[in-house]
Structures are given as C-alpha cells and as structure tokens.
Amino acid sequence: VDGDTESLLTANRAGFIAAKAVAARFATDGGAFVTVQDTDGDFGLSGSQRAWVGGLAGLTKTAAQEWPKASLKAIDLQRGRRGAKKLAIAIADELLTGGPEIEVGLKKDGSRISLRSVAIEAKGNAPAVNKDSVIVASGGARGVTAATLIALAADTGAKFALLGRTPLVDEPAACSDANTDAELKKVLLGEGRRTGTMPKPAELGRQVRQILANREIRATLSAIEANGGTAQYLSVDVNNVEAVSTALDGVRKGWGPITGLVHAAGVLADKLIAEKTVDQFDFVFNTKVGGLQALLMATANDPLTVLCTFSSVAARCGNQGQCDYAMANELLNKVASLEAGRRNLKAKSLGWGPWEGGMVTPALKAHFESLGVPLIPLDVGAKMLVDGFRDDGGAVELVLGGEPKMEALALASTGRSLTMAIRVAESSHGYLNDHAIAGVPVVPVVLAVEWFARIARACRPELSLASIDDVRVLRGIKLANFKGAGDWFDISATETDKGLELELNGADGAFHYRAIAKMTETQVRHTNSVPMPNLGSWKDTVYDGHVLFHGDNFQVIEVVEGISDEGLAATLQSTPDAGWSNEPWHTDPAALDGGLQMALLWSKRTLGGASLPMSVGQLRAYTDRPPTGSVSAILTGTVKGRDRAVSNIVFRDEEGTVVAELRDIVTVLRPGEPALA
C-alpha cells in the first residue's frame, strides 16, 4: 500500500477482513497465512515513514495463537528500488527456505533479520517532564493510567489536562453518603419514588456508573494536586480531531503550549478472529489508533518534548481474542518510533503486561498466575512510567512487567501441532550436489536434523531447543527431481508428554526420519569438562572417495589432529564458512556432518572397513545458531561387536565454548566390507 496515512491504515483493516474469511477453516484444518508490509525491513524500529501500516504483525501473531495447525509469517519487506519480480522472489525464498520465526524482516540489500526481546534496565536521569511541562493525557483520569500520572505529578510537578468521554457533572445531593453500587441504586430508587420519576433498570445502571466514574475522576484530579501537580479534566471524544483541537485551545490559553502527550485510551471486545465482527474490530482499533492520530494532528504545531503511548504485551506476542487490540498497540509502537525521529522528541511506547486491577478480573488473574505471568501492582507500574520518562537509553518500544513470551497471554494449550512444507532443488540447495551417491543427491542426516530444529522452534517459539533425541533414519532420501522442479517434503511437530514428536515425510507420504525434540524455557549451557582421549598421529587420506565420498562443499574436515582406538580429534568448518547457503540456520549442519564423517573415519580404524551412520541418539544444542570460524571436535567411542561402533562428539567454537554435542552415533559396516579379525 502506498499513499497517505489513511491509505496505510486501510491495510490493517483489510488484513483483518482477510484473516476473518479463512479463520474458521484455518483454526481446525490449518493453512498458510502471510502478511507482507514495508516498514523498512525492521518492523518500524528505525522510524519508518510507513509506520501506520505496522499493525499487521500483531494480527499474524494473534492468528498464530488461535490457529495452532496453521503456518503463519509476518514479513517486513523493504522494497527499495526492486521491482515486483524481485520482491516476489524474496517472499517465495523466505516461505520455502526461511526459518521458523513468525516475524522476519527482509532488507533491500538481501539481509534477513528477526526480532528478539532483550532485557534492559532503565538508566539515566534525563527527565523530559518538569514543573513547566503541559501534558495532555487521554484515558488518564481513571484506572491504572491515573495511578501512573499521579506518580508522574509527584516526580515532576507538571500540569496535566486529562481527556475522557465521561461528562463531569454534579451528582444528586442525596447520594453523598452512598458508596457502593447497591447503596447508590437504593438511594436513587428512593428519590425516584419521592419525585414520581422512577428510573428504568438500564437508566438506573447508567446513573450509578456515571456517579462512580465522576467520583474517580475527581479523586484523580485531587490526587494530582495533592502530589504537587496541576490538573484539569476535559470531556471530549479523543477520536474527534476537531473536538480535541478545540479542547486543547483552551488548555493553551490557560497554561501555554502543549509539551507532552500520553495516549492511554483503549477498549476491549475480546472474540476470536472467526467470531469478531468488523464493527467490533473498528471499535477497538480506532479507539487506540484514531485517538493517537487525532492527538498528533491537534498538536502538530506544539513544541512536544515527550510522547508516551500505552501499548500492551499483546502487541509483542499476540493474544487469543485480541487481534484488534494487538494490532492497534503494535501500530502505536511503530508510530512512536516514527515521531521520535520526525519531531526530535523522547518517545516511549510502553507494552504493559496485565495489571493488578484495570481490566483484569479475579478469574483472569488466576489464569495469568497459573501460566506464570506476573501481574503489575499499581505502585510498581507507576514507578515504571516515571523511570521511563527519565530513561535516556534511547529505546522506544518497551515491554513492562515480565519477559514477553509468544504464548504468555494465550489460553493454555496442549497437543499443539505444526507442519512445514519445504522444497529441495538445485536452485536453493545447490551444495547438495556434493552429497550424492551414483550421481543422485541425497539429503544428509544433519539437514533433516536442521529442519527438525526449525519446526520445533516454530511450534514452540517461546522456548529454546535443548536437544533432538532418538533421530531415526527410516528411509534415506534420494532427490530424483533435484535439477528440475525439486522434491517436496513435510516436516511436522506434534506436542506429546514425551516432547515434540517430529516426522519428515515425502510428498507420497513415505516416512523418512523421526525424532523427539526437548524444549526448555532458557537455553541450556554446557558445564562439564571435555576429556581428551590419548591420540596418535593421523597418516591417512581424509577424503579417499570410499570411506568418505563427499564433494567439495561437504569436505568440511580441515585437519585431523589425531586418532587412536579411544577416539579422534579434528578441526571442522562451520556452516557460515562452508558457504552452503544464506539460510537462517539454527544448528550447524556443516560441522555436524563433519562430526559424522569423523565417526566414519574412526569406524574404519576400529571396525576395519567403510561404514554407514544408522542413527543418532541425541543432538544437544547449546546455542541457537552456528558459530563463525572453525569448530574443534573431539570424538570418543566404543566398539560393539564385529560390525558396530558407538561414538560421542563434542563441538567447540574458537573461544573454546561447547556449542553442541552428538551422542550415541551408531555406525555399522557396509555390506561386503571386511571386519577386523
């Protein structure tokens, strides 16, 4: 979508309508849903001029939670000067060979990025608000937002103009001693009998809600004043630019130019995408987005020094039933980054986790606690806002209240499953020409393991891969269509009490590989010592065409350091150095294949002939990407009878850090090979 802000905003609504059209089917049967936007290839973090289209990723992340069998991807494709054909190729390449990440940025220079949440501390003491500041706050007169503004008033002594829809009127004098909902209804019914104007139930409820809301507004105004600030309340529809402008003219006459905005207004209408109406979407989305748009337009000529938007962790992670809320808050994040650069001001978009209070009911609180999601106490949240205004670290988009996880706010789910299709052809996997038998390329075990790592992380993106266990080669894969249209395969993951059960199947349904992935909340680190076996010198040829038949791209053993009946040590190329492709690798398949080659060399010494790898008991992963530079590997093994050997291999990067282990590699003599006497 090109054009002005309104044109960009329509893409968000169109995205929801498209998702709604397939939601019922995708929720039960799965499917593929992809959103593509251009916010400079980094999801607007650098301040894209097209930030107003930035809500689409929130839709995709929410759909990923509501449609556990579907494949979801949000692509931020930086167009640059590329034509439609090159852009289409970039999208297709990502869908066919990209990694499991839901959010992927594709820059115009061909680089690929994904987003990761990183813990940081608020630092510095550079307040953008002081006693002379004039702050306009939408939705700030009631609830949790009011608590944060009271704390900001105590810290700065600023002036606050609070905007809200609720008219501020005098309540009936008879209600002065009534405090609860029931007490107020009793008094109002009594007044109705006395005056002969008995209210209907709906009107009675409306009167009570207005009285309680007015009391809360007045309490907020008094608390701001008591804490050293100055406050006034303006009843205005924050989505109406003309009404907001008129209201702010009055603020300027009394206090001077507006210097800060806090946009906190928001509503909820939770329903799954399949059930949510377009009107409900518009109501939630426009309250957030339209309100920000109106405030920015009404203060276009004011000397703003600070902009604070109240976003939500739902924008970062998605949330079941809240696609509109996630999209709106995601868009707020991106617009805040845009305004920071455009108007040279301090911008903070605060992605709040759930509060103790506000929209969180006791039942929802219990649900969050069962998921391990911390609730933010009012006083803690208020301090977070104050610290955010003082922070000079430069970060705009922040998540507050706990580590964001892709399923943190979702309903707890078990038995989830995911299937990923992949095409293997010379155009995308040309390095496999050097892993061929009788001229036919064959998929190596390590590539199947890499695909398993990708599907495991895609199925449980909030977790880290600890290991892939019991890798079984059921039927080797010969690529008959490698030089033509390619061969298609399905990689699937199904959550069970054993872990994620993984399968690699051909297009004809044939089973090729199976394994189980174990996931953990944090990346496992290797802490044990690595014993070095007693080794003698290596005197043989590494790639002899018989024991190791590999071509140039798979000749990743740089040096064999030594060998003995106890084991073998070698230096290997990592995947980035081997130059296989620019895929988003999650393991180090080149080095791992070098490890399996080491097992074949050691089996030749101990068994007497060429052998084949039959199974891998376990890949232990200690990092989520391959290292750069050389990898050192140490193999230790034992012989099991005349034709079988079992070995373990530890891989270390150039800093000496253990990055992976292969355990229980079983190698068996090839048929016709002579065994040692």
Side-chain angles (χ1 to χ4, degrees):
V1 177
D2 286 312
D4 57 17
T5 298
E6 294 302 324
S7 298
L8 294 169
L9 282 172
T10 60
N12 298 281
R13 192 172 190 264
F16 164 72
I17 292 172
K20 179 176 174 59
V22 300
R25 178 161 53 89
F26 280 20
T28 56
D29 301 332
F33 187 83
V34 182
T35 58
V36 182
Q37 63 193 62
D38 179 3
T39 45
D40 295 340
D42 62 0
F43 292 93
L45 292 175
S46 59
S48 172
Q49 296 298 317
R50 297 166 52 81
W52 295 94
V53 78
L56 289 173
L59 171 64
T60 310
K61 287 179 284 190
T62 296
Q65 296 200 21
E66 295 186 14
W67 310 338
K69 294 183 179 180
S71 297
L72 286 298
K73 181 82 73 172
I75 299 175
D76 187 354
L77 180 64
Q78 187 178 32
R79 180 181 302 174
R81 297 182 180 274
R82 292 181 289 179
K85 183 176 180 180
K86 289 185 177 180
L87 295 174
I89 291 172
I91 295 171
D93 285 347
E94 173 59 33
L95 297 179
L96 294 174
T97 64
E101 301 91 350
I102 292 179
E103 296 169 288
V104 174
L106 303 176
K107 304 289 282 186
K108 62 185 179 183
D109 62 3
S111 60
R112 179 185 188 275
I113 69 168
S114 58
L115 303 183
R116 183 164 59 95
S117 300
V118 179
I120 59 172
E121 295 288 337
K123 60 182 180 179
N125 189 25
V129 178
N130 56 43
K131 62 181 181 61
D132 297 320
S133 298
V134 178
I135 307 298
V136 172
S138 69
R142 301 170 58 196
V144 297
T145 310
T148 65
L149 296 182
I150 292 167
L152 188 60
D155 188 62
T156 64
K159 302 176 181 67
F160 296 87
L162 311 183
L163 310 184
R165 293 176 183 268
T166 304
L168 193 59
V169 297
D170 292 332
E171 66 181 59
C175 293
S176 60
D177 294 327
N179 297 310
T180 67
D181 183 280
E183 290 173 349
L184 285 168
K185 286 180 178 177
K186 182 178 180 179
V187 170
L188 291 173
L189 286 172
E191 285 293 294
R193 293 189 190 95
R194 186 179 64 81
T195 60
T197 56
M198 286 291 288
K200 294 181 179 180
E203 174 61 19
L204 180 64
R206 187 198 66 77
Q207 291 180 27
V208 169
R209 288 192 297 273
Q210 183 175 49
I211 291 171
L212 293 174
N214 278 197
R215 288 179 179 181
E216 191 174 358
I217 293 169
R218 290 190 172 94
T220 298
L221 296 173
S222 297
I224 289 175
E225 299 276 353
N227 280 276
T230 306
Q232 60 176 301
Y233 176 79
L234 303 168
S235 176
V236 62
D237 179 0
V238 73
N239 287 328
N240 187 319
V241 178
E242 197 172 309
V244 171
S245 296
T246 300
L248 296 192
D249 281 342
V251 174
R252 295 184 187 97
K253 289 178 182 178
W255 289 348
I258 312 301
T259 62
L261 292 178
V262 176
H263 179 46
V267 293
L268 293 176
D270 290 3
K271 283 186 179 295
L272 298 177
I273 295 171
E275 302 167 358
K276 192 182 295 285
T277 68
V278 175
D279 286 343
Q280 289 168 336
F281 173 88
D282 289 341
F283 176 56
V284 175
F285 187 83
N286 292 341
T287 298
K288 275 283 185 186
V289 176
L292 177 62
Q293 192 178 13
L295 288 169
L296 292 174
M297 293 175 67
T299 57
N301 297 318
D302 285 291
L304 294 186
T305 61
V306 64
L307 167 66
C308 178
T309 58
F310 273 39
S311 182
S312 167
V313 68
R316 180 74 200 99
C317 305
N319 194 20
Q320 289 193 30
Q322 292 187 343
C323 72
D324 40 17
Y325 194 65
M327 292 174 71
N329 284 300
E330 184 80 313
L331 194 146
L332 260 58
N333 294 339
K334 311 317 175 189
V335 172
S337 291
L338 167 63
E339 292 297 306
R342 191 175 75 87
R343 299 181 69 164
N344 191 29
L345 50 75
K346 177 180 285 188
K348 299 292 178 183
S349 192
L350 306 180
W352 298 104
W355 290 80
E356 284 188 359
M359 301 179 187
V360 178
T361 63
L364 191 54
K365 177 180 178 180
H367 172 63
F368 286 141
E369 289 174 344
S370 70
L371 292 174
V373 179
L375 301 187
I376 304 173
L378 286 179
D379 58 339
V380 174
K383 186 177 186 304
M384 287 177 176
L385 178 75
V386 172
D387 290 344
F389 274 96
R390 289 183 170 273
D391 175 58
D392 58 4
V396 173
E397 186 174 335
L398 304 172
V399 176
L400 305 176
E403 179 185 358
K405 297 183 178 181
M406 296 305 286
E407 65 170 0
L409 300 183
L411 297 176
S413 61
T414 58
R416 72 174 66 186
S417 62
L418 184 65
T419 299
M420 176 174 70
I422 190 164
R423 182 179 71 98
V424 183
E426 188 175 39
S427 59
S428 56
H429 297 76
Y431 54 90
L432 292 181
N433 276 311
D434 288 327
H435 194 268
I437 297 176
V440 179
V442 175
V443 172
V445 174
V446 294
L447 192 54
V449 170
E450 165 68 23
W451 293 338
F452 280 159
R454 294 184 191 183
I455 193 72
R457 288 197 172 100
C459 190
R460 295 302 303 266
E462 80 286 2
L463 301 178
S464 295
L465 177 67
S467 66
I468 296 179
D469 300 347
D470 197 21
V471 180
R472 298 288 177 139
V473 184
L474 305 177
R475 181 180 178 184
I477 301 176
K478 295 181 179 180
L479 300 170
N481 301 307
F482 185 68
K483 294 186 180 298
D487 297 272
W488 284 90
F489 302 94
D490 286 336
I491 301 99
S492 63
T494 302
E495 193 170 34
T496 70
D497 56 1
K498 296 178 182 179
L500 290 176
E501 294 191 358
L502 310 171
E503 288 187 353
L504 170 56
N505 303 327
D508 58 358
F511 293 106
H512 291 289
Y513 286 86
R514 282 181 178 156
I516 295 176
K518 299 294 179 60
M519 311 296 288
T520 56
E521 290 195 1
T522 57
Q523 187 73 61
V524 176
R525 301 299 178 191
H526 185 276
T527 57
N528 299 325
S529 60
V530 180
M532 173 65 78
N534 294 315
L535 303 176
S537 61
W538 169 265
K539 299 179 181 179
D540 295 332
T541 301
V542 176
Y543 294 100
D544 61 358
H546 179 58
V547 175
L548 298 185
F549 60 88
H550 307 71
D552 289 347
N553 279 301
F554 274 77
Q555 292 182 8
V556 296
I557 298 178
E558 295 180 339
V559 179
V560 176
E561 309 291 350
I563 191 171
S564 71
D565 289 347
E566 295 182 18
L568 185 150
T571 301
L572 313 172
Q573 285 184 323
S574 65
T575 305
D577 288 354
W580 284 8
S581 76
N582 292 321
E583 294 182 50
W585 303 105
H586 289 269
T587 64
D588 191 352
L592 294 179
D593 198 78
L596 295 182
Q597 295 172 32
M598 291 170 60
L600 298 180
L601 293 177
W602 185 76
S603 295
K604 171 64 166 59
R605 174 186 176 92
T606 55
L607 298 180
S611 59
L612 293 171
M614 296 303 295
S615 64
V616 177
Q618 186 180 63
L619 163 68
R620 295 182 181 178
Y622 302 116
T623 181
D624 61 359
R625 66 200 65 183
T628 56
S630 297
V631 174
S632 62
I634 299 173
L635 177 150
T636 55
T638 56
V639 175
K640 303 288 186 180
R642 291 171 54 84
D643 65 349
R644 186 178 298 259
V646 179
S647 55
N648 301 318
I649 307 175
V650 177
F651 300 85
R652 293 187 291 190
D653 63 18
E654 290 185 339
E655 302 298 322
T657 302
V658 175
V659 293
E661 288 184 88
L662 286 177
R663 303 192 65 81
D664 297 327
I665 304 165
V666 176
T667 50
V668 178
L669 277 176
R670 295 182 198 169
E673 287 288 309
L676 290 177

